[in-house]
């Protein structure tokens, strides 16, 4: 099974900051990686797929990069509505797996 | 507008069974793979199962293999998950998810609101 390791698991930061979250896969997954945002009590929301393609309607301050085993989600200037938990997911092979999550909180 | 509406959650004793359903609308159901994802209280996301558009291919996480069964009725635009031999660790919110799987790209683009399954005596 492919393991995904997200770092950091917790991030305390401020509005306007640049945020970078890393997701490392235990083996190569090409670009079959997606990023999701989840707010408390809500279903996850797709942000990025194919490692770097922005889902329709998602603000351009979100971006993704990487391929193979190392991937990055970047928020260029954190907004109040971006405080949430972020998950990466590999869709290269079954079983599909998620990273452990990164909680982004207000400093 | 894509809508996914889960039903069937509730409280069940260990060893018991439950059937979750997901009513889908707003897209061509039979052309899309579907999936279930769960989230235990205070924990992260865990993929549970997936099924192809035709229903001919199914996939399971090791943690549920042999106990859960995914199925679909394309005539009724409905996805189901039969949960048997339930354990306390199956307690979670179960999400129905639309799975876009095209050449070169795959992602979970729409999620239902979730159905809570609680396994407890």
């Amino acid at each position: 099974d492919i393991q995904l390791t997200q770092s950091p698991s917790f991030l305390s930061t401020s509005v306007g900051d640049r945020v970078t979250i890393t997701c490392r896969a235990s083996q190569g997954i090409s670009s079959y990686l997606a990023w999701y945002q989840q707010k408390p009590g809500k279903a996850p929301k797709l942000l990025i797929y194919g490692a770097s393609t922005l889902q329709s309607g998602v603000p351009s301050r979100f971006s993704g990069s990487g391929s193979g085993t190392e991937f990055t989600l970047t928020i260029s200037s954190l907004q109040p509505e971006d405080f949430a938990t972020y998950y990466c997911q590999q869709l290269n092979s079954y079983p599909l797996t998620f990273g452990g999550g990164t909680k982004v909180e207000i400093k | 507008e894509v809508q996914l509406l889960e039903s069937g959650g509730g409280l069940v004793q260990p060893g018991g069974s439950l059937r979750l359903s997901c009513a889908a609308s707003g897209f061509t159901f039979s052309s899309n793979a579907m999936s279930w994802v769960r989230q235990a209280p205070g924990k992260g996301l865990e993929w549970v199962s997936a099924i192809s558009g035709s229903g001919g291919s199914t996939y399971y996480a090791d943690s549920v293999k042999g106990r859960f069964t995914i199925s679909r009725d394309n005539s009724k635009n409905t996805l189901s998950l039969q949960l048997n031999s339930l354990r306390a660790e199956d307690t979670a919110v179960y999400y129905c998810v639309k799975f876009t799987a095209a050449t070169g790209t795959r992602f979970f683009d729409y999620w239902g609101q979730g159905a809570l399954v609680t396994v407890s005596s």
Side-chain angles (χ1 to χ4, degrees):
Chain A
D1 297 2
I2 298 173
Q3 314 301 321
L4 294 181
T5 303
Q6 267 184 255
S7 60
S9 55
F10 179 82
L11 196 55
S12 181
T13 186
S14 303
V15 172
D17 284 356
R18 181 182 182 87
V19 168
T20 300
I21 299 169
T22 298
C23 180
R24 288 189 175 87
S26 59
Q27 58 186 272
I29 59 171
S30 185
S31 296
Y32 290 109
L33 188 102
W35 290 96
Y36 302 88
Q37 176 194 66
Q38 187 179 33
K39 296 182 179 180
K42 300 294 187 182
K45 171 188 171 184
L46 175 66
L47 298 176
I48 302 276
Y49 63 90
S52 60
T53 303
L54 199 65
Q55 171 69 341
S56 175
V58 174
S60 59
R61 61 181 179 273
F62 291 92
S63 64
S65 64
S67 67
T69 62
E70 186 137 347
F71 302 86
T72 298
L73 172 69
T74 299
I75 309 172
S76 60
S77 177
L78 202 69
Q79 298 302 299
E81 59 269 29
D82 301 336
F83 291 95
T85 301
Y86 295 85
Y87 295 93
C88 58
Q89 179 200 26
Q90 70 82 17
L91 301 103
N92 181 73
S93 61
Y94 290 102
L96 309 182
T97 47
F98 290 91
T102 296
K103 188 173 185 179
V104 178
E105 286 199 343
I106 301 172
K107 184 183 289 183
Chain B
E1 179 193 6
V2 172
Q3 290 194 345
L4 300 169
L5 187 62
E6 300 97 338
S7 61
L11 175 64
V12 60
Q13 292 188 339
S17 298
L18 208 61
R19 188 176 184 87
L20 300 180
S21 295
C22 172
S25 61
F27 64 102
T28 305
F29 184 71
S30 60
S31 297
N32 281 268
M34 297 292 294
S35 190
W36 290 96
V37 174
R38 69 184 181 183
Q39 186 169 36
K43 302 297 184 183
L45 301 173
E46 180 186 14
W47 174 76
V48 173
S49 182
I51 187 168
S52 62
S54 67
S57 297
T58 57
Y59 309 89
Y60 297 94
D62 286 345
S63 59
V64 307
K65 199 172 296 182
R67 300 188 299 121
F68 292 8
T69 303
I70 191 171
S71 62
R72 63 190 301 158
D73 184 339
N74 286 344
S75 68
K76 296 181 179 178
N77 287 1
T78 300
L79 175 73
S80 297
L81 185 69
Q82 178 68 37
L83 294 70
N84 295 335
S85 303
L86 283 162
R87 306 166 181 167
E89 55 265 35
D90 295 318
T91 294
V93 173
Y94 286 73
Y95 293 102
C96 167
V97 185
K98 177 178 173 286
F99 182 2
T100 292
T103 302
T105 190
R106 301 167 193 156
F107 47 86
F108 287 1
D109 49 352
Y110 291 94
W111 299 61
Q113 86 288 350
L116 177 62
V117 172
T118 303
V119 184
S120 175
S121 54

